[in-house]
Amino acid sequence: MTFLPTLRNLVSAYQAFERYSAPDVKAMGLTTTQFDVIATLGNQPPMTCKELGEKTLVTKGTLTGVLERLEAKGILERKLNPEDARSQMIGLTTVGQTLFEKVFPAHLSHLNKVFEKLNTKELAEITKSLQALKNAFEK
């Protein structure tokens, strides 16, 4: 079981990320899931619920409730898919796009305070290692 130290460090890194990231998102009046959806839809054409689910870290069951709450707040809208009436296209409203333009750069700036502590080589190594781990799970 030589992978246990790697697993522990992966989980610890994710937990540290959440402890740093989540309060910033919460201060913006959003949950991390709402932020993920808004960040994914920002500056993008509308997409289906399936596409949105694939591009976010949100499970289908959770996504439905999040979309309903964001729609009720006027942040996103759903329209019938002109190419397939069985699905809907989801996109940000003008209010939602304005919110994205405010919160997304602010949160990236917050995260940059940590990532700028790593040099280019370290970031490249981490990216390569995480991609290798992801690929190992997907095979």
Side-chain angles (χ1 to χ4, degrees):
M1 301 271 179
T2 59
F3 68 89
L4 289 177
T6 302
L7 182 60
R8 180 170 177 75
N9 281 308
L10 175 65
V11 172
S12 294
Y14 178 73
Q15 290 171 336
F17 171 80
E18 280 296 309
R19 283 191 302 273
Y20 183 79
S21 176
D24 186 60
V25 170
K26 186 176 182 181
M28 297 175 187
L30 299 169
T31 67
T32 54
T33 306
Q34 290 171 335
F35 180 86
D36 190 8
V37 169
I38 292 166
T40 302
L41 291 172
N43 291 334
Q44 299 295 316
M47 60 186 76
T48 65
C49 191
K50 181 180 180 196
E51 292 169 325
L52 184 59
E54 290 169 354
K55 292 182 179 192
T56 63
L57 303 175
V58 184
T59 63
K60 185 177 179 182
T62 301
L63 188 59
T64 301
V66 170
L67 295 179
E68 288 172 359
R69 287 185 286 284
L70 290 175
E71 187 175 28
K73 292 180 179 182
I75 293 171
L76 65 80
E77 60 188 353
R78 296 188 256 193
K79 297 180 180 177
L80 281 179
N81 184 346
E83 296 176 14
D84 182 356
R86 296 171 296 171
S87 66
Q88 297 177 330
M89 300 301 290
I90 301 163
L92 294 179
T93 61
T94 304
V95 170
Q97 182 63 31
T98 300
L99 178 62
F100 165 79
E101 291 169 5
K102 176 185 171 191
V103 300
F104 189 69
H107 191 58
L108 287 183
S109 177
H110 178 71
L111 294 176
N112 187 56
K113 292 173 189 170
V114 172
F115 283 99
E116 71 184 1
K117 295 175 184 177
L118 302 170
N119 64 43
T120 304
K121 183 180 176 191
E122 289 170 321
L123 284 171
E125 289 171 358
I126 292 167
T127 300
K128 184 178 177 182
S129 295
L130 289 172
Q131 188 63 52
L133 182 61
K134 178 181 175 245
N135 291 343
F137 277 108
E138 291 180 342
K139 290 181 181 178

